[in-house]
Amino acid sequence: MSPSQTLVLASGSPRRIELLQQAGIEPDRILPADIDETPQRSEHPRSLAKRLAKEKAEKAAASLRAEPGHAPAYVLAADTVVAVGRRILPKAETIDDATACLQLLSGRSHRVYSGVCLITPDGKQRQRLVETRLRFKRLPRAEIERYIASGEWRGKAGGYAVQGLAGAFVVKLVGSYTNVVGLPLYETTALLTGEGYRAHEAAPAGAIS
């Protein structure tokens, strides 16, 4: 038996929590790791996604170690980056952000990268990087304005949430759909089970603290 079946998710994202629950995995604890997500000079979107996931996992793990009487746990973190070529799109916080993102994505292809980092109870670190390619239809100004009015874009990388109204913008998607939502489920569950985490031993629903 592994030394611990406790899973800590280093993210407060409701989407990531829901995706894990969809796979029958219930985090025992939510411990968001706030870090500076500013891209480094000339940093590739792939590298940014990997680095941010790693830094989030390491920060959450350090916070756990600093707690009195802490017990070993699996620490899972992820970060999702939307890019057109090497241009990294922001996590839209304003209407101007979201409008600029949607205007750029209109009628074009783009890529979504998610870095996933797992720190095991014995301190090993494992990472995955997942890439999904998408193409949006041409978005008339009126359609962009309707989407902005919905508010679904707030805090979303690239200014959209594919699981909502923006799903109708997608002409083509190649790769993992759950990656675009915020957490590539196949790769994440494979990472966990490969390191000895057993989903059927996870805490029952409602155990999140």
Side-chain angles (χ1 to χ4, degrees):
M1 178 175 288
S2 60
S4 170
Q5 285 295 311
T6 300
L7 176 63
V8 176
L9 179 62
S11 171
S13 165
R15 298 180 304 283
R16 292 192 177 117
I17 296 169
E18 289 167 3
L19 284 167
L20 285 173
Q21 291 171 336
Q22 179 181 321
I25 297 172
E26 190 78 37
D28 297 281
R29 186 172 176 186
I30 305 300
L31 188 61
D34 294 324
I35 62 170
D36 182 358
E37 299 188 11
T38 305
Q40 296 175 351
R41 185 177 178 86
S42 300
E43 188 169 27
H44 192 281
R46 296 169 61 92
S47 301
L48 176 64
K50 288 182 67 176
R51 177 174 66 81
L52 294 183
K54 181 175 183 288
E55 290 182 3
K56 288 178 180 180
E58 290 174 342
K59 183 170 183 178
S63 296
L64 286 175
R65 289 194 299 270
E67 293 178 352
H70 84 280
Y74 291 88
V75 178
L76 179 68
D79 192 83
T80 300
V81 172
V82 176
V84 175
R86 291 182 62 96
R87 179 173 175 178
I88 297 167
L89 276 62
K91 290 182 179 175
E93 300 296 342
T94 68
I95 288 175
D96 287 345
D97 285 345
T99 300
C101 286
L102 293 172
Q103 288 174 339
L104 179 63
L105 295 173
S106 174
R108 299 182 66 173
S109 295
H110 65 282
R111 299 184 186 228
V112 176
Y113 302 94
S114 284
V116 181
C117 184
L118 176 69
I119 298 178
T120 66
D122 59 1
K124 290 189 295 183
Q125 194 173 111
R126 298 287 183 263
Q127 281 194 276
R128 294 288 185 275
L129 179 75
V130 180
E131 174 186 329
T132 303
R133 290 175 287 154
L134 300 92
R135 183 162 64 87
F136 273 12
K137 69 178 184 178
R138 190 183 66 81
L139 300 173
R141 180 174 178 175
E143 193 162 6
I144 290 176
E145 289 175 350
R146 283 196 299 272
Y147 188 71
I148 295 299
S150 76
E152 287 188 358
W153 51 270
R154 293 187 185 277
K156 305 298 192 301
Y160 73 92
V162 75
Q163 69 274 26
L165 296 172
F169 300 164
V170 180
V171 174
K172 186 176 183 180
L173 186 153
V174 179
S176 168
Y177 170 80
T178 56
N179 177 45
V180 185
V181 179
L183 187 71
L185 270 188
Y186 170 76
E187 291 81 3
T188 300
T189 56
L191 200 60
L192 283 163
T193 56
E195 293 301 327
Y197 181 81
R198 290 180 289 281
H200 69 276
E201 293 186 4
I208 296 176
S209 60

